[in-house]
Amino acid sequence: MTADALWQAFAAACPDAPATHEAWAFGAEPDALARLVLAGRKTATASAYPLYALHGEPLPRAGACDVLLDGRGEAVCVLRTTRVYVVPFREVTAEHAFQEGEGDRTLASWRAVHEAFFTGEMERAGLTFTEEMPVVCEEFEVAYRP
């Protein structure tokens, strides 16, 4: 299903649906992470704050709805952002790591995986990862699934 088709179905089922949306896939392992979302295990994500500024993109905001895509660009579900906050990488909490639902859900595992991921993203953008780097922590819920 395309992102537009899923959004139209969501809008028909939910009259209070926002007028606009984005469609995106998780940067690392989009299919596996989408499966975790659909299973109810993944209810949060994190991204590198400096990349928003570099690309002139707005931060996610609570109440926004987006179409989650799989690795082939097919629509999986509509997510509603419930909370957004920014903290240094070193201050991301064990609770957030657990909500991300990946691996063994521990903070140590989250830090290892995300340090490697953020280091690569930052290097590709000509920037440097540090533990002081601001991280955008986003919590969400599945608002609609076909």
Side-chain angles (χ1 to χ4, degrees):
M1 172 179 280
T2 67
D4 287 340
L6 181 61
W7 186 260
Q8 289 173 3
F10 169 61
C14 302
D16 63 338
T20 62
H21 70 282
E22 298 287 326
W24 51 268
F26 289 109
E29 302 181 39
D31 292 332
L33 297 177
R35 282 192 298 274
L36 290 176
V37 168
L38 292 176
R41 181 176 163 121
K42 181 171 183 61
T43 60
T45 193
S47 50
Y49 179 86
L51 298 178
Y52 286 93
L54 182 67
H55 300 299
E57 296 177 10
L59 293 180
R61 60 180 174 68
C65 291
D66 296 317
V67 175
L68 177 63
L69 305 173
D70 65 17
R72 295 169 305 286
E74 294 291 319
V76 173
C77 64
V78 174
L79 299 178
R80 178 177 291 114
T81 301
T82 57
R83 182 177 179 217
V84 178
Y85 58 98
V86 179
V87 296
F89 178 88
R90 65 176 168 66
E91 291 181 21
V92 171
T93 65
E95 178 183 3
H96 182 83
F98 185 82
Q99 290 173 319
E100 284 216 25
E102 301 169 38
D104 66 6
R105 301 178 91 170
T106 64
L107 182 57
S109 173
W110 184 91
R111 284 187 174 153
V113 168
H114 285 78
E115 181 173 344
F117 179 73
F118 289 150
T119 296
E121 279 196 317
M122 297 294 283
E123 285 177 356
R124 283 188 289 283
L127 302 171
T128 303
F129 168 83
T130 70
E131 289 201 353
E132 299 301 318
M133 181 191 81
V135 173
V136 179
C137 296
E138 182 178 355
E139 297 173 9
F140 54 79
E141 62 189 8
V142 174
Y144 182 83
R145 64 190 290 178

